[in-house]
């Protein structure tokens, strides 16, 4: 009997040690990831500021940061994986929508349609994204290190109130500016007849994307407002962590 209890205790200890090891590895990876992303968006911020100070105009700004922006924004797909395997307690759907919408804006709108890269709306959403991501990744980093300053926490759950709507405005106006170009060029479109017997019009796809902001924006915005009440005001809300 004693031998069985000892075996059970040993197995429990081994199981706990494995859990601690996995937790330590996960924390180390998440810390590294968030530090890297904070640094990446800080580089983007400094590059944009330096460009504007030197040139005195936003024209050509996107081109100067395009490679760095595409890398770090695309790398954010890792976050969907974090949610899927349970490294972070955030909805896979919410994270997927946010990350994929950003990637779509970068690769399939701004990067693909050069005629709109100097639009002021592009600068608007780039500035909003940069401030948002520096704040967000800084918050995650300090939180993982258990060294979270109150200002960083306050910024994380207050800046979005203004930045989120401004970012949406910038994205929508950018897509709107792209519509005439897409209609004239027929880019990414496939019209009948063709050997695949499939029809696709990118112009109408972009319109649908714009319309999708109507149901999606309020859901994501109010989700953040609920998180703000929970994190800053201490309200108990039955919902997964952000």
């Amino acid at each position: 009997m004693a031998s069985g209890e000892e075996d059970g205790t040993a197995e429990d200890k081994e199981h706990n040690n494995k859990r601690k090891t996995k937790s330590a590895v996960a924390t180390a990876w998440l810390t590294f990831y968030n530090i890297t992303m904070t640094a990446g968006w800080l580089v983007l911020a400094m590059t944009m500021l330096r460009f504007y100070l030197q040139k005195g105009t936003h024209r050509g700004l996107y081109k100067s940061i395009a490679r760095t922006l595409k890398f770090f924004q695309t790398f954010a797909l890792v976050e969907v994986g974090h949610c899927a395997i349970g490294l972070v307690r955030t909805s896979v759907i919410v994270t997927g929508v946010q990350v994929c919408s950003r990637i779509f804006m970068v690769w399939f709108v701004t990067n693909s349609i050069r005629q709109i890269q100097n639009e002021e709306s592009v600068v608007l959403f780039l500035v909003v994204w940069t401030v948002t991501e520096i704040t967000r990744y800084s918050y995650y980093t300090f939180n993982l290190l258990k060294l979270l300053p109150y200002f960083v926490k306050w910024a994380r759950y207050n800046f979005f109130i203004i930045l989120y709507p401004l970012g949406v405005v910038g994205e929508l106006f950018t897509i709107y500016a792209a519509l005439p170009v897409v209609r004239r060029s027929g880019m990414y479109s496939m019209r009948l007849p063709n050997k695949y017997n499939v029809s696709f019009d990118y112009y109408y796809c972009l319109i649908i994307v714009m319309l999708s902001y109507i149901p999606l924006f309020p859901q994501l915005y109010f989700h953040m407002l609920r998180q703000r009440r929970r994190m800053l005001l201490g309200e108990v809300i039955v919902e997964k962590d952000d």
Side-chain angles (χ1 to χ4, degrees):
M1 189 72 177
S3 176
E5 289 177 354
E6 289 173 359
D7 290 344
T9 303
E11 289 178 2
D12 290 342
K13 287 182 178 179
E14 184 179 356
H15 179 68
N16 289 334
N17 287 336
K18 286 181 178 179
R19 285 177 57 188
K20 289 179 180 178
T21 301
K22 288 181 180 179
S23 178
V25 171
T27 300
W29 162 250
L30 289 173
T31 303
F32 169 77
Y33 172 79
N34 285 295
I35 289 174
T36 301
M37 295 300 279
T38 303
W41 285 95
L42 279 170
V43 168
L44 280 165
M46 290 186 290
T47 303
M48 287 191 287
L49 181 61
R50 184 172 63 248
F51 180 93
Y52 190 79
L53 291 175
Q54 290 176 349
K55 306 291 185 179
T57 178
H58 68 278
R59 300 185 67 82
L61 174 63
Y62 178 82
K63 188 176 180 180
S64 72
I65 65 164
R67 183 177 298 180
T68 306
L69 174 67
K70 287 185 289 185
F71 175 81
F72 283 101
Q73 189 55 71
T74 305
F75 192 48
L77 277 170
V78 172
E79 294 172 34
V80 181
H82 291 167
C83 300
I85 64 177
L87 278 184
V88 295
R89 294 184 299 165
T90 307
S91 167
V92 176
I93 296 175
V94 171
T95 303
V97 168
Q98 292 175 325
V99 172
C100 291
S101 65
R102 292 273 195 91
I103 290 174
F104 179 82
M105 280 299 305
V106 170
W107 284 99
F108 296 101
V109 180
T110 316
N111 191 71
S112 299
I113 309 170
R114 296 183 179 180
Q115 296 92 324
I116 67 168
Q117 290 177 359
N118 290 322
E119 293 285 332
E120 293 179 353
S121 58
V122 173
V123 179
L124 176 58
F125 79 71
L126 284 177
V127 171
V128 168
W129 287 9
T130 302
V131 175
T132 299
E133 298 300 59
I134 291 172
T135 305
R136 185 167 71 94
Y137 289 118
S138 297
Y139 169 83
Y140 291 149
T141 300
F142 284 119
N143 200 35
L144 285 163
L145 295 173
K146 302 187 185 304
L147 297 170
L148 182 61
Y150 181 77
F151 172 73
V152 174
K153 182 179 179 180
W154 181 91
R156 164 70 175 134
Y157 291 103
N158 279 289
F159 283 4
F160 81 90
I161 296 173
I162 300 298
L163 293 178
Y164 203 171
L166 285 177
V168 167
V169 169
E171 292 170 26
L172 287 174
F173 272 94
T174 299
I175 297 174
Y176 182 77
L179 289 176
V181 180
V182 172
R183 191 165 205 173
R184 286 196 306 269
S185 65
M187 65 181 299
Y188 297 149
S189 298
M190 185 180 292
R191 296 184 173 86
L192 295 171
N194 59 69
K195 63 179 181 180
Y196 301 106
N197 200 31
V198 173
S199 177
F200 173 76
D201 196 316
Y202 190 53
Y203 174 82
Y204 292 108
C205 175
L206 288 180
I207 292 176
I208 293 171
V209 169
M210 293 178 70
L211 292 174
S212 72
Y213 278 72
I214 297 173
L216 291 176
F217 169 71
Q219 292 184 46
L220 295 174
Y221 192 68
F222 286 118
H223 168 75
M224 283 301 299
L225 287 174
R226 290 192 294 271
Q227 294 304 311
R228 178 181 181 273
R229 293 201 305 272
R230 183 171 69 85
M231 297 302 294
L232 295 183
L233 305 178
E235 292 186 18
V236 178
I237 299 173
V238 181
E239 187 175 24
K240 290 184 178 180
D241 292 342
D242 178 53

